[in-house]
């Protein structure tokens, strides 16, 4: 659902808008999407019991991405959920590799938290898109 909402937000957005940032220390829509799918993949793989080697910092270092690259990342995220979904054990106790090992929680807790995380970033995407439309030549 969140992936479809993200797709709806970037529909009609040009690549300049996809990579535009509102100011110093902020992220573009493309970077936010890269981060959302990276975080989601880490959570899903961890809950399933697959080692994940996420480079979180790299999610924020993309300079410029095409619409095709961003759409491909969303498609890969859809595929990961489709393939891994049946293997998810919501009761399994796991920790995420990007957090301290003592932060062990149930798989369901991680997945619900990650869904909330994605929803927060959806709002950030919406706001960034609105700001871009205010400052870009029409």
């Amino acid at each position: 659902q969140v992936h479809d909402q993200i797709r709806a937000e970037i529909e009609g957005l040009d690549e300049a808008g996809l990579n535009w940032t509102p100011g110093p220390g902020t992220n573009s829509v493309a970077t936010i999407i890269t981060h959302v799918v990276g975080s989601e993949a880490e959570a899903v793989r961890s809950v399933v019991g697959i080692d994940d080697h996420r480079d979180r910092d790299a999610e924020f270092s993309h300079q410029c991405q095409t619409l095709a690259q961003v759409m491909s990342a969303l498609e890969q995220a859809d595929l990961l959920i489709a393939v891994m979904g049946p293997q998810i054990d919501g009761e399994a106790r796991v920790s995420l590799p990007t957090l301290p090992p003592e932060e062990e929680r149930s798989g369901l807790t991680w997945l619900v938290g990650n869904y909330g995380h994605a929803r927060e970033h959806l709002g950030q995407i919406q706001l960034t898109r609105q700001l871009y439309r205010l400052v870009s030549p029409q």
Side-chain angles (χ1 to χ4, degrees):
Q1 181 184 13
V2 174
H3 296 171
D4 287 340
Q5 290 173 309
I6 290 171
R7 286 182 185 95
E9 289 301 324
I10 62 175
E11 186 177 325
L13 191 62
D14 61 14
E15 289 186 8
L18 191 64
N19 291 286
W20 177 81
T21 60
T26 63
N27 295 302
S28 69
V29 169
T31 297
I32 296 166
I33 293 169
T34 300
H35 171 63
V36 166
V37 298
S39 174
E40 183 179 274
E42 175 188 59
V44 169
R45 287 186 183 117
S46 295
V47 169
V48 170
I50 296 172
D51 285 338
D52 188 76
H53 303 286
R54 175 182 177 205
D55 184 354
R56 185 182 182 282
D57 291 339
E59 294 167 10
F60 298 96
S61 66
H62 286 89
Q63 294 302 317
C64 189
Q65 296 183 66
T66 66
L67 185 58
Q69 288 171 311
V70 171
M71 294 301 281
S72 176
L74 288 167
E75 289 169 15
Q76 291 299 315
D78 288 343
L79 181 61
L80 179 70
I81 291 170
V83 170
M84 298 291 166
Q87 301 173 50
I88 290 174
D89 179 357
E91 294 180 25
R93 305 271 317 159
V94 297
S95 58
L96 301 183
T98 52
L99 296 174
E102 61 272 8
E103 288 199 38
E104 185 178 274
R105 300 184 182 132
S106 72
L108 181 59
T109 299
W110 285 122
L111 294 174
V112 169
N114 192 266
Y115 177 72
H117 173 256
R119 302 280 314 166
E120 289 176 24
H121 283 307
L122 173 62
Q124 188 180 7
I125 289 167
Q126 292 167 332
L127 180 58
T128 302
R129 179 182 170 176
Q130 290 171 5
L131 291 170
Y132 174 70
R133 296 214 174 199
L134 286 172
V135 300
S136 69
Q138 299 298 320

Short mmCIF file of all heavy atoms in Angstrom, two decimals, residues 51-100:
data_model
loop_
_atom_site.label_atom_id
_atom_site.label_comp_id
_atom_site.label_asym_id
_atom_site.label_seq_id
_atom_site.Cartn_x
_atom_site.Cartn_y
_atom_site.Cartn_z
N ASP A 51 20.57 -12.82 6.72
CA ASP A 51 21.53 -11.75 7.01
C ASP A 51 21.35 -10.61 6.02
O ASP A 51 21.20 -10.84 4.82
CB ASP A 51 22.96 -12.26 6.93
CG ASP A 51 23.35 -13.12 8.12
OD1 ASP A 51 22.70 -12.99 9.18
OD2 ASP A 51 24.28 -13.93 7.99
N ASP A 52 21.35 -9.41 6.53
CA ASP A 52 21.21 -8.23 5.69
C ASP A 52 22.44 -7.37 5.89
O ASP A 52 22.87 -7.16 7.02
CB ASP A 52 19.95 -7.45 6.06
CG ASP A 52 19.67 -6.33 5.09
OD1 ASP A 52 19.19 -6.62 3.99
OD2 ASP A 52 19.94 -5.16 5.43
N HIS A 53 23.01 -6.92 4.80
CA HIS A 53 24.22 -6.10 4.86
C HIS A 53 23.90 -4.71 4.32
O HIS A 53 24.46 -4.27 3.33
CB HIS A 53 25.35 -6.77 4.08
CG HIS A 53 25.66 -8.14 4.57
ND1 HIS A 53 26.31 -8.37 5.76
CD2 HIS A 53 25.37 -9.36 4.07
CE1 HIS A 53 26.41 -9.68 5.95
NE2 HIS A 53 25.85 -10.28 4.94
N ARG A 54 23.03 -4.04 5.00
CA ARG A 54 22.57 -2.71 4.58
C ARG A 54 23.64 -1.66 4.88
O ARG A 54 24.21 -1.63 5.95
CB ARG A 54 21.29 -2.38 5.36
CG ARG A 54 20.77 -1.01 5.13
CD ARG A 54 19.53 -0.80 5.98
NE ARG A 54 19.01 0.56 5.86
CZ ARG A 54 18.30 1.13 6.79
NH1 ARG A 54 18.00 0.49 7.90
NH2 ARG A 54 17.86 2.36 6.60
N ASP A 55 23.87 -0.80 3.91
CA ASP A 55 24.75 0.36 4.09
C ASP A 55 23.84 1.58 4.20
O ASP A 55 23.56 2.25 3.22
CB ASP A 55 25.72 0.48 2.93
CG ASP A 55 26.72 1.61 3.11
OD1 ASP A 55 26.61 2.38 4.09
OD2 ASP A 55 27.61 1.73 2.25
N ARG A 56 23.36 1.85 5.40
CA ARG A 56 22.40 2.91 5.63
C ARG A 56 22.93 4.27 5.17
O ARG A 56 22.21 5.05 4.56
CB ARG A 56 22.00 2.97 7.11
CG ARG A 56 20.91 3.97 7.40
CD ARG A 56 20.59 4.01 8.91
NE ARG A 56 19.51 4.92 9.17
CZ ARG A 56 19.62 6.25 9.22
NH1 ARG A 56 20.80 6.82 9.01
NH2 ARG A 56 18.58 7.01 9.47
N ASP A 57 24.17 4.55 5.46
CA ASP A 57 24.75 5.84 5.07
C ASP A 57 24.71 6.04 3.55
O ASP A 57 24.49 7.15 3.07
CB ASP A 57 26.18 5.98 5.59
CG ASP A 57 26.24 6.11 7.10
OD1 ASP A 57 25.21 6.49 7.71
OD2 ASP A 57 27.31 5.83 7.67
N ALA A 58 24.92 4.96 2.80
CA ALA A 58 24.92 5.06 1.34
C ALA A 58 23.54 5.45 0.80
O ALA A 58 23.44 6.03 -0.28
CB ALA A 58 25.36 3.75 0.71
N GLU A 59 22.49 5.15 1.56
CA GLU A 59 21.13 5.51 1.13
C GLU A 59 20.98 7.02 0.99
O GLU A 59 20.13 7.49 0.23
CB GLU A 59 20.10 4.97 2.11
CG GLU A 59 20.04 3.46 2.15
CD GLU A 59 19.26 2.91 3.34
OE1 GLU A 59 18.58 3.70 4.04
OE2 GLU A 59 19.32 1.69 3.56
N PHE A 60 21.79 7.76 1.70
CA PHE A 60 21.70 9.21 1.69
C PHE A 60 22.76 9.87 0.82
O PHE A 60 22.87 11.09 0.79
CB PHE A 60 21.80 9.75 3.13
CG PHE A 60 20.67 9.26 3.99
CD1 PHE A 60 20.81 8.15 4.79
CD2 PHE A 60 19.44 9.91 3.97
CE1 PHE A 60 19.76 7.69 5.56
CE2 PHE A 60 18.38 9.47 4.74
CZ PHE A 60 18.55 8.35 5.54
N SER A 61 23.54 9.08 0.08
CA SER A 61 24.63 9.65 -0.71
C SER A 61 24.35 9.64 -2.21
O SER A 61 25.21 10.04 -2.98
CB SER A 61 25.93 8.90 -0.42
OG SER A 61 25.84 7.57 -0.87
N HIS A 62 23.17 9.18 -2.62
CA HIS A 62 22.85 9.20 -4.05
C HIS A 62 22.79 10.64 -4.52
O HIS A 62 22.11 11.48 -3.94
CB HIS A 62 21.49 8.52 -4.30
CG HIS A 62 21.53 7.05 -4.19
ND1 HIS A 62 21.32 6.39 -3.01
CD2 HIS A 62 21.80 6.11 -5.11
CE1 HIS A 62 21.43 5.10 -3.21
NE2 HIS A 62 21.71 4.90 -4.47
N GLN A 63 23.50 10.91 -5.56
CA GLN A 63 23.51 12.27 -6.09
C GLN A 63 22.26 12.55 -6.90
O GLN A 63 21.50 13.43 -6.58
CB GLN A 63 24.77 12.49 -6.94
CG GLN A 63 26.04 12.44 -6.11
CD GLN A 63 26.04 13.46 -4.99
OE1 GLN A 63 25.65 14.60 -5.18
NE2 GLN A 63 26.44 13.05 -3.80
N CYS A 64 22.06 11.81 -7.95
CA CYS A 64 20.94 12.06 -8.84
C CYS A 64 20.42 10.71 -9.33
O CYS A 64 21.21 9.87 -9.76
CB CYS A 64 21.39 12.93 -10.01
SG CYS A 64 20.05 13.52 -11.03
N GLN A 65 19.12 10.51 -9.23
CA GLN A 65 18.53 9.26 -9.68
C GLN A 65 17.47 9.54 -10.73
O GLN A 65 16.80 10.57 -10.70
CB GLN A 65 17.89 8.52 -8.51
CG GLN A 65 18.90 8.08 -7.46
CD GLN A 65 18.23 7.30 -6.37
OE1 GLN A 65 17.73 6.21 -6.61
NE2 GLN A 65 18.18 7.86 -5.17
N THR A 66 17.32 8.61 -11.63
CA THR A 66 16.28 8.73 -12.65
C THR A 66 14.97 8.18 -12.10
O THR A 66 14.95 7.41 -11.13
CB THR A 66 16.65 7.96 -13.92
OG1 THR A 66 16.67 6.56 -13.61
CG2 THR A 66 17.99 8.41 -14.48
N LEU A 67 13.89 8.54 -12.75
CA LEU A 67 12.59 8.00 -12.38
C LEU A 67 12.61 6.48 -12.54
O LEU A 67 12.07 5.76 -11.71
CB LEU A 67 11.49 8.63 -13.23
CG LEU A 67 10.06 8.24 -12.88
CD1 LEU A 67 9.74 8.57 -11.43
CD2 LEU A 67 9.09 8.93 -13.82
N ALA A 68 13.26 5.99 -13.59
CA ALA A 68 13.34 4.55 -13.81
C ALA A 68 14.06 3.85 -12.66
O ALA A 68 13.65 2.76 -12.23
CB ALA A 68 14.05 4.26 -15.14
N GLN A 69 15.13 4.45 -12.13
CA GLN A 69 15.85 3.85 -11.00
C GLN A 69 14.97 3.78 -9.75
O GLN A 69 14.96 2.77 -9.05
CB GLN A 69 17.11 4.66 -10.70
CG GLN A 69 18.20 4.50 -11.72
CD GLN A 69 19.34 5.48 -11.49
OE1 GLN A 69 19.12 6.68 -11.30
NE2 GLN A 69 20.57 4.97 -11.53
N VAL A 70 14.24 4.85 -9.50
CA VAL A 70 13.38 4.89 -8.31
C VAL A 70 12.23 3.89 -8.46
O VAL A 70 11.91 3.16 -7.52
CB VAL A 70 12.86 6.32 -8.08
CG1 VAL A 70 11.80 6.36 -7.01
CG2 VAL A 70 14.02 7.24 -7.72
N MET A 71 11.64 3.83 -9.64
CA MET A 71 10.55 2.87 -9.87
C MET A 71 11.06 1.44 -9.75
O MET A 71 10.37 0.57 -9.21
CB MET A 71 9.90 3.12 -11.23
CG MET A 71 9.18 4.45 -11.33
SD MET A 71 7.86 4.65 -10.12
CE MET A 71 6.59 3.69 -10.91
N SER A 72 12.27 1.19 -10.23
CA SER A 72 12.86 -0.14 -10.11
C SER A 72 13.07 -0.52 -8.65
O SER A 72 12.82 -1.66 -8.25
CB SER A 72 14.18 -0.20 -10.87
OG SER A 72 14.81 -1.45 -10.69
N ALA A 73 13.52 0.44 -7.84
CA ALA A 73 13.71 0.16 -6.41
C ALA A 73 12.38 -0.20 -5.75
O ALA A 73 12.32 -1.12 -4.92
CB ALA A 73 14.32 1.38 -5.73
N LEU A 74 11.32 0.48 -6.12
CA LEU A 74 9.99 0.16 -5.57
C LEU A 74 9.52 -1.22 -6.04
O LEU A 74 8.95 -1.99 -5.26
CB LEU A 74 8.97 1.23 -5.95
CG LEU A 74 9.14 2.57 -5.24
CD1 LEU A 74 8.30 3.65 -5.92
CD2 LEU A 74 8.79 2.45 -3.76
N GLU A 75 9.78 -1.54 -7.31
CA GLU A 75 9.41 -2.86 -7.83
C GLU A 75 10.18 -3.97 -7.12
O GLU A 75 9.62 -5.02 -6.79
CB GLU A 75 9.66 -2.92 -9.34
CG GLU A 75 8.69 -2.09 -10.14
CD GLU A 75 9.10 -1.93 -11.60
OE1 GLU A 75 9.97 -2.69 -12.08
OE2 GLU A 75 8.54 -1.03 -12.26
N GLN A 76 11.47 -3.74 -6.86
CA GLN A 76 12.28 -4.73 -6.14
C GLN A 76 11.75 -4.90 -4.71
O GLN A 76 11.75 -6.01 -4.17
CB GLN A 76 13.75 -4.32 -6.13
CG GLN A 76 14.41 -4.40 -7.49
CD GLN A 76 14.40 -5.82 -8.04
OE1 GLN A 76 14.70 -6.78 -7.34
NE2 GLN A 76 14.05 -5.96 -9.30
N ALA A 77 11.33 -3.80 -4.10
CA ALA A 77 10.77 -3.87 -2.75
C ALA A 77 9.46 -4.67 -2.75
O ALA A 77 9.21 -5.48 -1.85
CB ALA A 77 10.54 -2.47 -2.20
N ASP A 78 8.63 -4.47 -3.77
CA ASP A 78 7.39 -5.25 -3.90
C ASP A 78 7.72 -6.73 -4.02
O ASP A 78 7.08 -7.59 -3.38
CB ASP A 78 6.61 -4.84 -5.15
CG ASP A 78 5.95 -3.48 -5.05
OD1 ASP A 78 5.81 -2.95 -3.93
OD2 ASP A 78 5.58 -2.93 -6.11
N LEU A 79 8.70 -7.05 -4.85
CA LEU A 79 9.10 -8.43 -5.07
C LEU A 79 9.64 -9.07 -3.78
O LEU A 79 9.30 -10.21 -3.46
CB LEU A 79 10.15 -8.51 -6.17
CG LEU A 79 10.66 -9.90 -6.54
CD1 LEU A 79 9.52 -10.78 -7.04
CD2 LEU A 79 11.75 -9.79 -7.61
N LEU A 80 10.44 -8.32 -3.04
CA LEU A 80 10.98 -8.84 -1.78
C LEU A 80 9.84 -9.22 -0.83
O LEU A 80 9.85 -10.28 -0.23
CB LEU A 80 11.90 -7.81 -1.13
CG LEU A 80 12.50 -8.25 0.21
CD1 LEU A 80 13.53 -9.35 0.01
CD2 LEU A 80 13.11 -7.07 0.93
N ILE A 81 8.86 -8.35 -0.72
CA ILE A 81 7.72 -8.63 0.17
C ILE A 81 6.94 -9.85 -0.33
O ILE A 81 6.54 -10.71 0.46
CB ILE A 81 6.82 -7.40 0.29
CG1 ILE A 81 7.56 -6.31 1.08
CG2 ILE A 81 5.50 -7.75 0.98
CD1 ILE A 81 6.88 -4.96 1.08
N ALA A 82 6.73 -9.95 -1.64
CA ALA A 82 5.99 -11.07 -2.19
C ALA A 82 6.71 -12.40 -1.93
O ALA A 82 6.08 -13.40 -1.58
CB ALA A 82 5.78 -10.88 -3.69
N VAL A 83 8.03 -12.39 -2.07
CA VAL A 83 8.81 -13.62 -1.89
C VAL A 83 8.98 -13.96 -0.41
O VAL A 83 8.84 -15.11 0.00
CB VAL A 83 10.19 -13.49 -2.59
CG1 VAL A 83 11.11 -14.63 -2.21
CG2 VAL A 83 10.00 -13.41 -4.09
N MET A 84 9.29 -12.95 0.41
CA MET A 84 9.59 -13.19 1.81
C MET A 84 8.34 -13.26 2.70
O MET A 84 8.39 -13.86 3.77
CB MET A 84 10.51 -12.09 2.35
CG MET A 84 11.85 -12.01 1.69
SD MET A 84 12.83 -13.46 2.11
CE MET A 84 14.12 -13.33 0.90
N GLY A 85 7.27 -12.63 2.26
CA GLY A 85 6.06 -12.56 3.07
C GLY A 85 5.62 -13.88 3.68
O GLY A 85 5.38 -13.96 4.89
N PRO A 86 5.53 -14.95 2.89
CA PRO A 86 5.10 -16.23 3.45
C PRO A 86 6.06 -16.82 4.49
O PRO A 86 5.69 -17.69 5.26
CB PRO A 86 5.02 -17.15 2.22
CG PRO A 86 4.88 -16.23 1.06
CD PRO A 86 5.65 -14.99 1.44
N GLN A 87 7.30 -16.34 4.52
CA GLN A 87 8.30 -16.87 5.45
C GLN A 87 8.36 -16.09 6.76
O GLN A 87 9.10 -16.45 7.67
CB GLN A 87 9.67 -16.82 4.79
CG GLN A 87 9.76 -17.61 3.50
CD GLN A 87 11.10 -17.40 2.82
OE1 GLN A 87 12.14 -17.53 3.45
NE2 GLN A 87 11.07 -17.06 1.54
N ILE A 88 7.60 -15.00 6.85
CA ILE A 88 7.69 -14.14 8.03
C ILE A 88 7.10 -14.83 9.25
O ILE A 88 6.00 -15.36 9.21
CB ILE A 88 6.97 -12.79 7.77
CG1 ILE A 88 7.79 -11.98 6.77
CG2 ILE A 88 6.75 -12.02 9.06
CD1 ILE A 88 7.12 -10.69 6.32
N ASP A 89 7.86 -14.80 10.32
CA ASP A 89 7.41 -15.29 11.62
C ASP A 89 7.31 -14.09 12.54
O ASP A 89 8.32 -13.60 13.04
CB ASP A 89 8.40 -16.32 12.17
CG ASP A 89 8.01 -16.86 13.55
OD1 ASP A 89 7.00 -16.39 14.12
OD2 ASP A 89 8.73 -17.74 14.05
N GLY A 90 6.11 -13.61 12.73
CA GLY A 90 5.90 -12.40 13.53
C GLY A 90 6.28 -12.55 14.98
O GLY A 90 6.48 -11.55 15.68
N GLU A 91 6.38 -13.78 15.47
CA GLU A 91 6.72 -14.00 16.88
C GLU A 91 8.22 -14.18 17.11
O GLU A 91 8.68 -14.12 18.25
CB GLU A 91 5.96 -15.22 17.40
CG GLU A 91 4.46 -14.99 17.43
CD GLU A 91 3.69 -16.18 17.95
OE1 GLU A 91 4.28 -16.98 18.72
OE2 GLU A 91 2.52 -16.31 17.60
N ALA A 92 8.97 -14.41 16.05
CA ALA A 92 10.41 -14.62 16.19
C ALA A 92 11.05 -13.39 16.82
O ALA A 92 10.70 -12.26 16.51
CB ALA A 92 11.04 -14.88 14.83
N ARG A 93 11.96 -13.58 17.73
CA ARG A 93 12.68 -12.48 18.38
C ARG A 93 13.96 -12.24 17.60
O ARG A 93 14.77 -13.13 17.44
CB ARG A 93 13.00 -12.83 19.83
CG ARG A 93 11.81 -13.24 20.67
CD ARG A 93 11.06 -12.18 21.38
NE ARG A 93 11.84 -11.17 22.04
CZ ARG A 93 11.33 -9.99 22.35
NH1 ARG A 93 10.09 -9.70 22.07
NH2 ARG A 93 12.06 -9.08 22.95
N VAL A 94 14.11 -11.03 17.11
CA VAL A 94 15.28 -10.68 16.30
C VAL A 94 15.77 -9.28 16.65
O VAL A 94 15.05 -8.48 17.23
CB VAL A 94 14.98 -10.75 14.78
CG1 VAL A 94 14.60 -12.15 14.36
CG2 VAL A 94 13.88 -9.77 14.39
N SER A 95 17.01 -9.03 16.28
CA SER A 95 17.54 -7.67 16.34
C SER A 95 17.95 -7.31 14.92
O SER A 95 18.25 -8.17 14.11
CB SER A 95 18.72 -7.58 17.31
OG SER A 95 19.74 -8.47 16.93
N LEU A 96 17.95 -6.04 14.63
CA LEU A 96 18.33 -5.58 13.29
C LEU A 96 19.83 -5.33 13.27
O LEU A 96 20.41 -4.85 14.25
CB LEU A 96 17.57 -4.30 12.93
CG LEU A 96 16.05 -4.39 12.92
CD1 LEU A 96 15.44 -3.07 12.47
CD2 LEU A 96 15.55 -5.52 12.04
N PRO A 97 20.49 -5.63 12.15
CA PRO A 97 21.94 -5.49 12.10
C PRO A 97 22.45 -4.06 12.24
O PRO A 97 23.60 -3.85 12.59
CB PRO A 97 22.31 -6.08 10.73
CG PRO A 97 21.06 -6.15 9.96
CD PRO A 97 19.93 -6.18 10.93
N THR A 98 21.61 -3.07 11.98
CA THR A 98 22.05 -1.67 12.11
C THR A 98 21.79 -1.12 13.51
O THR A 98 22.07 0.06 13.76
CB THR A 98 21.35 -0.77 11.06
OG1 THR A 98 19.94 -0.99 11.14
CG2 THR A 98 21.85 -1.06 9.67
N LEU A 99 21.30 -1.97 14.40
CA LEU A 99 21.04 -1.55 15.78
C LEU A 99 21.80 -2.46 16.74
O LEU A 99 22.22 -3.55 16.37
CB LEU A 99 19.54 -1.61 16.08
CG LEU A 99 18.66 -0.65 15.28
CD1 LEU A 99 17.19 -0.92 15.56
CD2 LEU A 99 19.00 0.80 15.58
N PRO A 100 21.97 -2.03 17.99
CA PRO A 100 22.66 -2.88 18.96
C PRO A 100 21.93 -4.23 19.14
O PRO A 100 20.69 -4.27 19.12
CB PRO A 100 22.60 -2.06 20.26
CG PRO A 100 22.39 -0.65 19.82
CD PRO A 100 21.59 -0.73 18.55
#
